[in-house]
Amino acid sequence: MKKIVLLGALALSAFSALVQAEDKPLRIGIEAAYPPFAYKTAEGNITGFDYDIGQALCEEMKVECKWIEQEFDGLIPALKVRKFDAVLSSMSITEDRKKSVDFTGKYYATPAKLAMKAGTELKDPQADLKGKKIGVQRSSVYDRYATDVFAAAGAEIVRYSSQNEIFLDLASGRLDATLADSVNIDDGFLKTDAGKGFAFVGPDFTDVKYFGEGQGIAVRKGDKALADKISAAILAIRANGKYKAVQDKYFQFDVYGK
């Protein structure tokens, strides 16, 4: 009888632990300085496309989202030391990053662009950017591309913690250009008062070697169960209309891409 009682207690304990594990919130790392994907309201609350997509995914998975802010270049290190369970912060799915983390399927894909003074002619970016100061966000795909391609051709690459800092220095004349996500440049700079007199120049930059397969959600290496669960939730909100509802709030085009 004692053995039966003990076994029953152990089973109940295991069941309780399982329930608690399922009830635990999903801790998500995000950089909230990247409009329109993630930024702060006047009240100090996080909002944006990334945030709303995350909320929709958590609702689909029936878990609570717990958002943890982190500068972009610290997101992967913080994920590795378990400060959070996933990174949902416009992170491109690249082969280089796959060495450190695993990814879900993409949840959007937009090209990189250069922004400079309106009227600037850029027929050959590598040749025409020689001697120019180009601002990039540290540890981003734009940093890697600019370092490998533009710096090798004679441009000076200036690295920043956030894209917002780059926009400030571009507007004040301390930079000649920035390479970043086209939507972020458009919404976060060109459509603002500070961005008047600036424009996109040159081609779209979409080299998969550098810019990857779109933006995905990163999880710790080997956490296939969580990656698969989130990937399934992405497909589900794409199918049930919740993705489009979030997309239409921020964009007038299909941000998911091909």
Side-chain angles (χ1 to χ4, degrees):
M1 177 63 77
K2 288 182 179 179
K3 287 183 179 180
I4 293 172
V5 171
L6 179 60
L7 288 171
L10 288 172
L12 181 60
S13 175
F15 177 75
S16 298
L18 179 62
V19 170
Q20 287 175 2
E22 290 178 347
D23 286 346
K24 285 175 63 176
L26 181 66
R27 300 170 304 158
I28 305 174
I30 190 170
E31 181 207 29
Y34 197 66
F37 299 102
Y39 57 98
K40 292 287 194 66
T41 65
E43 296 73 33
N45 300 317
I46 303 173
T47 188
F49 177 77
D50 281 353
Y51 177 83
D52 287 355
I53 285 292
Q55 291 294 111
L57 291 172
C58 284
E59 182 181 346
E60 183 66 31
M61 295 185 291
K62 295 179 172 54
V63 296
E64 176 194 351
C65 279
K66 182 177 180 182
W67 296 91
I68 301 171
E69 287 187 68
Q70 178 77 46
E71 287 190 351
F72 190 84
D73 60 355
L75 284 168
I76 287 179
L79 176 66
K80 287 183 172 181
V81 298
R82 299 178 179 272
K83 183 176 179 179
F84 27 76
D85 308 303
V87 172
L88 202 172
S89 196
S90 293
M91 187 169 283
S92 300
I93 305 167
T94 65
E95 291 303 316
D96 189 53
R97 285 186 177 137
K98 285 180 182 178
K99 296 173 185 175
S100 300
V101 297
D102 287 339
F103 280 98
T104 64
K106 73 168 186 177
Y107 68 99
Y108 82 87
T110 50
K113 294 282 287 187
L114 280 162
M116 300 180 73
K117 282 282 188 182
T120 302
E121 288 191 21
L122 203 65
K123 295 177 181 178
D124 180 352
Q126 286 177 262
D128 295 342
L129 291 172
K130 184 177 180 180
K132 303 293 186 183
K133 287 186 176 181
I134 305 172
V136 293
Q137 187 168 19
R138 187 180 295 110
S139 299
S140 67
V141 292
Y142 316 105
D143 181 356
R144 187 179 170 214
Y145 184 87
T147 300
D148 286 1
V149 179
F150 297 149
E156 180 183 346
I157 309 305
V158 186
R159 297 170 182 84
Y160 294 78
S161 295
S162 77
Q163 189 62 37
N164 286 344
E165 294 175 272
I166 297 171
F167 293 147
L168 289 172
D169 275 7
L170 184 59
S172 66
R174 287 189 285 271
L175 291 170
D176 299 299
T178 183
L179 178 71
D181 178 83
S182 56
V183 177
N184 175 236
I185 291 175
D186 194 32
D187 275 55
F189 185 60
L190 298 182
K191 290 180 178 177
T192 69
D193 289 341
K196 288 178 179 176
F198 291 85
F200 288 126
V201 297
D204 288 353
F205 296 91
T206 57
D207 187 340
V208 173
K209 175 184 174 183
Y210 292 96
F211 301 105
E213 309 152 21
Q215 279 65 33
I217 299 164
V219 301
R220 277 184 292 278
K221 199 74 180 167
D223 197 351
K224 187 176 184 300
L226 180 57
D228 287 350
K229 186 176 182 180
I230 298 174
S231 291
I234 292 171
L235 294 177
I237 65 170
R238 290 272 298 159
N240 64 23
K242 291 180 181 177
Y243 182 97
K244 189 175 187 305
V246 173
Q247 172 186 274
D248 292 351
K249 183 177 172 183
Y250 296 96
F251 312 112
Q252 295 180 328
F253 60 94
D254 180 11
V255 75
Y256 187 79
K258 297 178 181 178

